[in-house]
Amino acid sequence: MENKCILCAHKSAAVCKLTENGQKVLSKNSLTVPFRKGDFIIKQGTYSTNVAYLKSGLAKIQIVGPYYTQVVKIVKPGNYLGLPTTIGDKINQYSVVAIDESEVCFIDTTTFMNLLNDSPEFSRQIIIELCKSELVSYQNCVRRTQKQIRGKVADILLEFSENIYNSDSFNVHINQEEMGNLVDSSRESISRVLNEFVKERVIEMSGKKIVILNKEHLKLMSSRG
């Protein structure tokens, strides 16, 4: 059987730590599934049966709260989706929705757990990724609660530019209400600040497309909060 994990151009840093035999085991117990924009990859409240890994595209993590559904994170390729739930209490505590054409590799949970037990280097890399994700969550919490709205919007734009789209020119795959969810602000506040940035020639906007014209100014606003 062809070892699709060895040949895969999108495999995770953790999978790269596996031996050839380990990657063969993974190949036999995983399946890549395409998703269209708007499709649920993981649904809150359902039973978790597989480990999901985002190979391509973009997704948003959202949680249904007591009053509305809140977007908490944008996920780019190269990330596992739902590991805390899969390894933890088995019931998905949040949803993951494709916001672009995406491909997700679903890995049998038992196989994944066996690889964690059998490969210390694989386990170590998974722990590193979980720790990094947790630290980012803490940092984002501080930004949301302590920064003014202009600093928050600057953070969103810098995150999109440097970590999600890797470009100063990009099409945003979420709406302004969802952008507000990310930083605990209203759609109206996000819209107002984006329009201010346009007038100040910090960015250009045309529909969903944003072009950053003055990144240094965004970084200054971000640092000042």
Side-chain angles (χ1 to χ4, degrees), residues 83-102:
L83 274 186
T85 288
T86 304
I87 297 176
D89 60 11
K90 305 299 182 183
I91 301 297
N92 292 314
Q93 299 300 311
Y94 50 79
S95 295
V96 182
V97 181
I99 57 175
D100 195 9
E101 300 290 316
S102 303

Side-chain angles (χ1 to χ4, degrees), residues 146-186:
Q146 297 189 16
K147 288 192 175 184
Q148 302 298 315
I149 182 61
R150 285 172 66 87
K152 290 180 178 182
V153 176
D155 280 347
I156 293 175
L157 295 176
L158 290 170
E159 174 72 10
F160 286 164
S161 171
E162 298 177 351
N163 297 322
I164 302 298
Y165 298 105
N166 300 313
S167 172
D168 288 346
S169 176
F170 47 85
N171 289 314
V172 181
H173 289 78
I174 58 174
N175 59 40
Q176 291 182 2
E177 181 176 357
E178 292 170 323
M179 289 174 68
N181 284 173
L182 291 171
V183 293
D184 295 340
S185 295
S186 67

Side-chain angles (χ1 to χ4, degrees), residues 13-23 26 115-116 119 121-122:
V15 170
C16 290
K17 301 291 185 181
L18 292 173
T19 63
E20 182 175 346
N21 185 61
Q23 292 188 39
L26 195 61
L115 290 171
L116 287 175
S119 174
E121 288 302 311
F122 178 75

Side-chain angles (χ1 to χ4, degrees), residues 13 73 125-139:
K73 188 177 183 181
Q125 190 62 43
I126 292 294
I127 291 171
I128 287 172
E129 292 178 23
L130 287 171
C131 289
K132 286 181 178 178
S133 178
E134 187 172 14
L135 286 173
V136 169
S137 295
Y138 292 160
Q139 292 163 355

Side-chain angles (χ1 to χ4, degrees), residues 1 28 32 50 56 60 124 132 137 140 146 182 193 213 223:
M1 180 179 177
K28 293 177 182 178
T32 297
N50 295 278
S56 64
K60 61 182 178 182
R124 180 175 180 274
K132 286 181 178 178
S137 295
N140 287 342
Q146 297 189 16
L182 291 171
V193 173
L213 303 175
S223 66

Side-chain angles (χ1 to χ4, degrees), residues 3-219:
N3 191 339
K4 60 179 181 289
C5 287
I6 285 182
L7 300 174
C8 180
H10 307 288
K11 60 188 173 186
S12 70
V15 170
C16 290
K17 301 291 185 181
L18 292 173
T19 63
E20 182 175 346
N21 185 61
Q23 292 188 39
K24 284 181 180 178
V25 171
L26 195 61
S27 293
K28 293 177 182 178
N29 294 278
S30 61
L31 177 68
T32 297
V33 179
F35 288 89
R36 295 171 298 180
K37 180 178 179 180
D39 286 347
F40 278 86
I41 298 169
I42 295 172
K43 196 162 187 179
Q44 183 174 342
T46 59
Y47 189 70
S48 176
T49 56
N50 295 278
V51 173
Y53 173 76
L54 185 62
K55 292 177 65 174
S56 64
L58 290 171
K60 61 182 178 182
I61 294 177
Q62 61 186 37
I63 296 176
V64 177
Y67 302 110
Y68 57 88
T69 299
Q70 180 154 351
V71 177
V72 296
K73 188 177 183 181
I74 304 299
V75 185
K76 65 180 182 179
N79 284 284
Y80 289 95
L81 309 170
L83 274 186
T85 288
T86 304
I87 297 176
D89 60 11
K90 305 299 182 183
I91 301 297
N92 292 314
Q93 299 300 311
Y94 50 79
S95 295
V96 182
V97 181
I99 57 175
D100 195 9
E101 300 290 316
S102 303
E103 282 190 329
V104 176
C105 182
F106 289 96
I107 305 163
D108 173 67
T109 302
T110 300
T111 299
F112 190 84
M113 297 300 291
N114 288 339
L115 290 171
L116 287 175
N117 290 329
D118 296 340
S119 174
E121 288 302 311
F122 178 75
S123 300
R124 180 175 180 274
Q125 190 62 43
I126 292 294
I127 291 171
I128 287 172
E129 292 178 23
L130 287 171
C131 289
K132 286 181 178 178
S133 178
E134 187 172 14
L135 286 173
V136 169
S137 295
Y138 292 160
Q139 292 163 355
N140 287 342
C141 181
V142 172
R143 294 189 187 109
R144 288 198 304 269
T145 57
Q146 297 189 16
K147 288 192 175 184
Q148 302 298 315
I149 182 61
R150 285 172 66 87
K152 290 180 178 182
V153 176
D155 280 347
I156 293 175
L157 295 176
L158 290 170
E159 174 72 10
F160 286 164
S161 171
E162 298 177 351
N163 297 322
I164 302 298
Y165 298 105
N166 300 313
S167 172
D168 288 346
S169 176
F170 47 85
N171 289 314
V172 181
H173 289 78
I174 58 174
N175 59 40
Q176 291 182 2
E177 181 176 357
E178 292 170 323
M179 289 174 68
N181 284 173
L182 291 171
V183 293
D184 295 340
S185 295
S186 67
R187 180 193 62 78
E188 292 79 9
S189 295
I190 297 295
S191 178
R192 174 176 57 79
V193 173
L194 287 174
N195 287 327
E196 288 175 0
F197 285 176
V198 170
K199 292 177 182 177
E200 294 164 9
R201 299 294 296 161
V202 177
I203 63 171
E204 284 182 351
M205 280 200 315
S206 178
K208 290 283 188 180
K209 185 174 182 179
I210 293 178
V211 179
I212 295 177
L213 303 175
N214 191 339
K215 183 175 279 187
E216 290 307 311
H217 191 59
L218 281 180
K219 290 180 178 179

